[in-house]
């Protein structure tokens, strides 16, 4: 996927995280949101709305994403 972005096959115009919720459990947090945006993949426009969930862990240098889908 990163190769497609670097080569220009995939281009992003914008990305927005909507309806985000964050639940904190000590040094762990879980986020849920709807991700929308506009992009081009192999010349074809795509404007999906996708559900996203991420898990973050608080480290000495700040919050780090440890899992996302």
């Amino acid at each position: 996927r990163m190769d497609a972005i670097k080569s220009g096959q995939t281009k992003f115009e914008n990305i927005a995280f909507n309806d985000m919720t964050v639940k904190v459990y000590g040094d762990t947090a879980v986020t849920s949101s709807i991700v929308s945006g506009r992009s081009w993949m192999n010349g074809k426009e795509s404007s999906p709305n996708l559900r996203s969930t991420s898990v973050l862990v608080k480290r000495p240098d700040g919050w780090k994403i440890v899992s996302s889908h």
Side-chain angles (χ1 to χ4, degrees):
R1 189 167 202 156
M2 289 303 296
D3 289 339
I5 294 169
K6 289 178 183 177
S7 73
Q9 287 179 317
T10 299
K11 297 178 184 179
F12 295 96
E13 181 176 301
N14 59 52
I15 298 174
F17 293 84
N18 304 296
D19 299 326
M20 182 175 278
T21 60
V22 179
K23 295 182 181 179
V24 179
Y25 306 96
D27 289 342
T28 303
V30 179
T31 68
S32 176
S33 63
I34 296 173
V35 181
S36 60
R38 188 172 179 193
S39 62
W40 285 264
M41 297 176 194
N42 296 319
K44 295 180 182 179
E45 184 178 346
S46 178
S47 299
N49 288 310
L50 308 169
R51 174 69 57 188
S52 173
T53 304
S54 297
V55 178
L56 298 90
V57 175
K58 190 174 185 180
R59 303 275 169 86
D61 57 339
W63 288 94
K64 304 296 179 186
I65 297 173
V66 295
S67 179
S68 185
H69 67 93

